[in-house]
Structure formats: C-alpha cells, structure tokens
Amino acid sequence: MIAPAPEIRELGPDDLDAATQMLAHLNPGISHELLRQRFDTILAEHPHYHAFGAFIDGRLRAVAGVWIATKIWCGRYLEIDNLVVDPELRSSGLGSALIAHLEAFGRSKNCYLAVLDSYTSNHASHRLYHRLGFEIWGFHFVKPFRPLDR
C-alpha cells in the first residue's frame, strides 16, 4: 500500500499525546505516562531537539525526533531518534518521506551527516535505512548503571 503524500511538520503542543501513542509502538514496555514525561522533559530541556510528524488527513501517522549536535570526529550532525511509523502504514513510503524531510532539515542546519540507532532485532528498519543510503560505521555500546525505568 502506498500512503498518500503526507504533511510533514514540526510537532506542536497539541500533537504530543498522539506522538506519545505513536512512540509506544517502539517502546511497548514503557508506560504511556513515563513516555510522555520523558518526551516533555526532552522538549523542555533540550532546545537542539526537534520532534516532527507526518500527517495524513490531519492524523499523525509517523513521528521522529532529531538532535542537532557537534562531535569531534564529524562536526555538526543530525541524529534521527525514535522514528516510528503507524504499523498499518509500514512499507508504504511514509517512513522514507519522513526521513527525506529530516535530512533536508539537517542540511538546512548545516549538518555534515545524519546518524541513527536501530535495535539489532528490528530487521525491517535495517532494510529501510540501507535502502536510503545509511551505512553501518560502528557499534553503539550500552552499559546500564541500574535497571531501566519502564
């Protein structure tokens, strides 16, 4: 199924409940309340974070955040964070359209490259990212200091 052309825009306060519901698809073990609390904290405390949504007929159908930052090895970069497409519309081109929009946003902010993380078990996303030109350049190592809040 091919999705109709979405309206893609930065999310506003009225979009945050729908965005939190969308984020639950990627984070099913985390309560809605905790997801919303974390989302609100990121938006309030990090001015270099932007949340975008893809809307079809006024309904949020995909969401992603981006961080704009600088690292020694690459300079200014865009990090795509928590890209989620409504399960009913996966493989419809909606994720590709949202990523293209995010890449254009990164270029407009003078970023040299885009990076993202994907769970090792999310093979469908790996195929998408490879098809869109992303390459695996390293590993993301994690060392928890305590059990994660869920």
Side-chain angles (χ1 to χ4, degrees):
M1 172 181 150
I2 306 251
E7 172 200 359
I8 299 175
R9 63 172 171 78
E10 198 154 356
L11 298 178
D14 291 341
D15 302 315
L16 299 184
D17 280 333
T20 303
Q21 291 173 1
M22 191 69 59
L23 290 168
H25 291 294
L26 187 62
N27 303 280
I30 303 174
S31 73
H32 178 84
E33 294 76 21
L34 186 54
L35 282 173
R36 179 60 190 262
Q37 177 187 29
R38 289 175 178 173
F39 198 30
D40 288 343
T41 299
I42 290 169
L43 292 168
E45 295 181 1
H46 301 281
H48 54 282
Y49 180 88
H50 303 269
F52 288 88
F55 295 80
I56 297 175
D57 297 327
R59 183 174 166 205
L60 182 65
R61 303 306 295 261
V63 66
V66 295
W67 300 88
I68 304 288
T70 302
K71 290 192 181 222
I72 297 294
W73 72 271
C74 66
R76 192 169 175 86
Y77 72 100
L78 173 93
E79 180 176 350
I80 299 172
D81 186 43
N82 288 296
L83 174 77
V84 185
V85 175
D86 185 317
E88 295 177 5
L89 292 174
R90 290 185 181 152
S91 299
S92 69
L94 190 56
S96 297
L98 182 54
I99 289 171
H101 185 88
L102 300 175
E103 289 176 356
F105 178 76
R107 286 184 183 96
S108 78
K109 298 294 185 184
N110 298 313
C111 294
Y112 291 99
L113 53 85
V115 301
L116 56 83
D117 287 335
S118 177
Y119 292 121
T120 55
S121 61
N122 192 345
H123 302 289
S125 73
H126 304 165
R127 288 189 296 276
L128 171 65
Y129 301 142
H130 283 296
R131 193 173 73 250
L132 295 177
F134 287 85
E135 301 171 358
I136 299 171
W137 283 17
F139 295 99
H140 186 94
F141 290 91
V142 176
K143 182 180 181 180
F145 295 134
R146 60 183 174 83
L148 297 176
D149 292 335
R150 297 277 178 187

